[in-house]
Amino acid sequence: MKFTYSEKFVLVLIALLLVANALLISIKQPKIDWLGYGIGISTALGMLALAQFYRTVRKGNNERIALAITAAGLFILFTIAGSVFNYLLLPLSNQPIDRTLVEIDARYFGYNWQRWVIFIADYPTANTIMRTVYISSLPQLIIAVIYLGFTNQPRRLDIFMIASTTSALFAILIWSMFPSAGPAGYWDVPADIEAQAGIIVNTAYGAELYRIFAEGVTLISPKDALGLIGFPSYHTVMAILSCYAFFHSKWLRLPILLINLTMVPAILIHGGHNLSDMLAGLVLAIFCLSVTRVYLNSMRPTHSTQAVK
């Protein structure tokens, strides 16, 4: 089997997550929806097998196909392993820091989530656009890895894959130490306003996050998965990574930039985030991209772009 350096890097992270998950499952003994996760895992493994076929059997000009399919398969596996790990950290021992974040936003930025939800409820078209954009975050990353592979940009794909996976792990670990459900768990918005605004992370969502933060869960399933992390905002990280992936595309750079500029208010309103969450996500994304670039640039180019046994 042949994998590039970045593919091996992500495989190691997945293996470490699987070991951590196995240990936590043995200790906490939650119920796991193995069938639900099995569908995604089987799909990802099938993609990796197909990629190896293109890389080792049908050689020649098929490396870009192998790059795209391998990256997509690894991304799916990492997402599943990381999501289960995130849930296995529940219940949390530390108290949520939402009050502090809300106070920081109010004092230094004059930002009030409740006020903005009430305001946006009167603009249904803009609200629908933002809602759609917010939901597009994860699909954008999948499209990004496929795009970088098929357009034969292995170096940029290396940086994208390593930065996206390490930033996700950092986000989980930071959240576990400084948990936050976001302002949706802190503010109360009238039910009719929430219904009119159609926000995704509403006050009921926030209340459920607070409950599982304190009580944990008895069943871990992809069907019931919630976005647990308030601080730092990983949707902000994903938006920056998407812009990075398509930055050199003549035709896609501007549309992706516009989509992710719209992502800013979408994250705040529909994601139920503080401005502080987004600023932390911005710092995390820049840090991981910068460190990854410096690290890979310090290595011989062939180590990261050429598939090795």
Side-chain angles (χ1 to χ4, degrees):
M1 298 180 72
K2 293 183 177 181
F3 293 99
T4 67
Y5 177 81
S6 64
E7 291 165 1
K8 286 186 173 182
F9 184 95
V10 176
L11 279 169
V12 169
L13 289 185
I14 293 171
L16 292 173
L17 280 171
L18 292 177
V19 171
N21 289 346
L23 290 173
L24 289 171
I25 289 172
S26 67
I27 295 170
K28 299 188 175 185
Q29 297 186 342
K31 293 181 180 179
I32 307 292
D33 180 5
W34 296 111
L35 179 60
Y37 286 113
I39 295 172
I41 292 171
S42 299
T43 300
L45 292 177
M47 295 173 74
L48 293 181
L50 180 61
Q52 286 299 306
F53 171 76
Y54 277 109
R55 183 169 281 167
T56 60
V57 179
R58 294 194 61 180
K59 301 178 182 179
N61 295 322
N62 292 315
E63 177 58 19
R64 65 180 62 195
I65 299 175
L67 280 172
I69 299 175
T70 300
L74 288 175
F75 199 83
I76 292 171
L77 285 178
F78 177 85
T79 300
I80 293 172
S83 175
V84 173
F85 176 69
N86 202 359
Y87 264 89
L88 287 169
L89 294 176
L90 298 170
L92 299 172
S93 56
N94 295 335
Q95 292 298 311
I97 61 169
D98 289 301
R99 178 181 292 274
T100 300
L101 295 175
V102 167
E103 290 175 352
I104 289 173
D105 274 16
R107 178 178 301 178
Y108 296 104
F109 308 114
Y111 176 72
N112 181 298
W113 179 79
Q114 183 188 48
R115 190 182 305 148
W116 275 102
V117 171
I118 294 171
F119 171 80
I120 202 64
D122 291 328
Y123 298 90
T125 301
N127 213 7
T128 300
I129 292 171
M130 286 190 292
R131 182 186 179 92
T132 303
V133 167
Y134 182 78
I135 295 172
S136 76
S137 288
L138 187 57
Q140 279 191 60
L141 294 194
I142 297 292
I143 293 170
V145 297
I146 295 173
Y147 163 77
L148 291 174
F150 275 111
T151 55
N152 198 26
Q153 300 183 60
R155 192 70 169 178
R156 185 165 286 263
L157 181 57
D158 285 347
I159 294 171
F160 181 89
M161 289 297 292
I162 294 176
S164 61
T165 51
T166 53
S167 61
L169 285 181
F170 275 126
I172 292 172
L173 294 175
I174 293 170
W175 164 84
S176 67
M177 293 183 289
F178 307 101
S180 166
Y186 181 84
W187 293 106
D188 288 323
V189 177
D192 58 329
I193 297 294
E194 282 196 337
Q196 184 178 344
I199 54 177
I200 296 173
V201 180
N202 53 27
T203 52
Y205 193 113
E208 176 62 10
L209 288 180
Y210 272 122
R211 186 190 69 79
I212 63 175
F213 284 4
E215 301 175 8
V217 293
T218 56
L219 173 65
I220 300 177
S221 170
K223 300 175 184 177
D224 304 320
L226 299 174
L228 301 180
I229 301 174
F231 177 89
S233 164
Y234 194 67
H235 269 80
T236 302
V237 176
M238 290 193 288
I240 293 169
L241 289 171
S242 292
C243 291
Y244 171 81
F246 293 99
F247 184 75
H248 289 307
S249 171
K250 179 180 179 180
W251 303 108
L252 295 175
R253 175 172 51 196
L254 183 58
I256 293 296
L257 178 61
L258 291 175
I259 288 171
N260 286 293
L261 284 174
T262 309
M263 187 72 75
V264 174
I267 290 171
L268 291 171
I269 295 169
H270 284 284
H273 276 289
N274 297 293
L275 274 171
S276 305
D277 302 337
M278 293 192 68
L279 290 174
L282 173 64
V283 172
L284 179 60
I286 293 174
F287 172 78
C288 289
L289 279 170
S290 301
V291 171
T292 301
R293 285 174 61 88
V294 170
Y295 176 58
L296 290 180
N297 287 338
S298 68
M299 303 173 60
R300 290 186 299 169
T302 54
H303 281 185
S304 61
T305 60
Q306 191 176 77
V308 294
K309 292 182 180 179

